[in-house]
Amino acid sequence: MVEKELIKNPPPSEADIEATKALVKEKGEAVAQLKSAKAGKAEITAPVAELNKAKENLSRLEERSKLKPGIPQKDGKIHYSQDIFACQAFLTVSGQLQVETYACAVSSVYTFGPTF
């Protein structure tokens, strides 16, 4: 799923992140100047909202820049702590599919829940 997302929307470049950091710094300085000039609440509300929006955008860009396609690996082995489950997991869309593997090992197996 990450691979498809990265193809449709590639991670931001370092230049994008640096430009956004500069924008956050600029907006922060503007808010600081307004505060030091003891500007009224009406004058400071919009710049503070713009600063918060710029910080949120920077946070999203930094988070997206950490995404890497493929299975996380360390020393040639799957690095499960980086995975969504943080351990080895076997998932199926149906309990019946998973029970087929157990049926070979044990004689009586049962499933419950909705089946389609």
Side-chain angles (χ1 to χ4, degrees):
M1 187 163 141
V2 172
E3 288 86 0
K4 289 181 182 178
E5 176 65 24
L6 288 173
I7 290 169
K8 287 195 302 189
N9 191 5
S13 66
E14 284 295 320
D16 292 337
I17 294 173
E18 290 303 317
T20 307
K21 284 181 181 178
L23 181 67
V24 167
K25 184 176 179 182
E26 179 183 314
K27 300 274 184 197
E29 289 171 355
V31 168
Q33 286 177 351
L34 287 171
K35 285 182 178 179
S36 67
K38 301 195 188 234
K41 185 176 181 180
E43 296 170 330
I44 210 168
T45 302
V48 167
E50 290 174 6
L51 175 61
N52 288 336
K53 193 171 186 178
K55 284 181 178 178
E56 288 172 14
N57 190 27
L58 176 61
S59 175
R60 277 190 236 113
L61 286 176
E62 288 176 333
E63 207 46 50
R64 283 202 42 77
S65 71
K66 294 176 186 173
L67 293 177
K68 297 194 178 15
I71 298 171
Q73 294 191 354
K74 183 177 182 180
D75 299 327
K77 296 180 182 177
I78 296 174
H79 192 43
Y80 290 110
S81 68
Q82 299 292 319
D83 190 32
I84 191 167
F85 298 106
C87 64
Q88 189 172 11
F90 302 94
L91 305 175
T92 69
V93 293
S94 167
Q96 290 176 329
L97 292 175
Q98 189 173 10
V99 83
E100 288 178 13
T101 59
Y102 295 119
C104 295
V106 291
S107 59
S108 298
V109 293
Y110 303 93
T111 64
F112 61 93
T115 57
F116 304 97

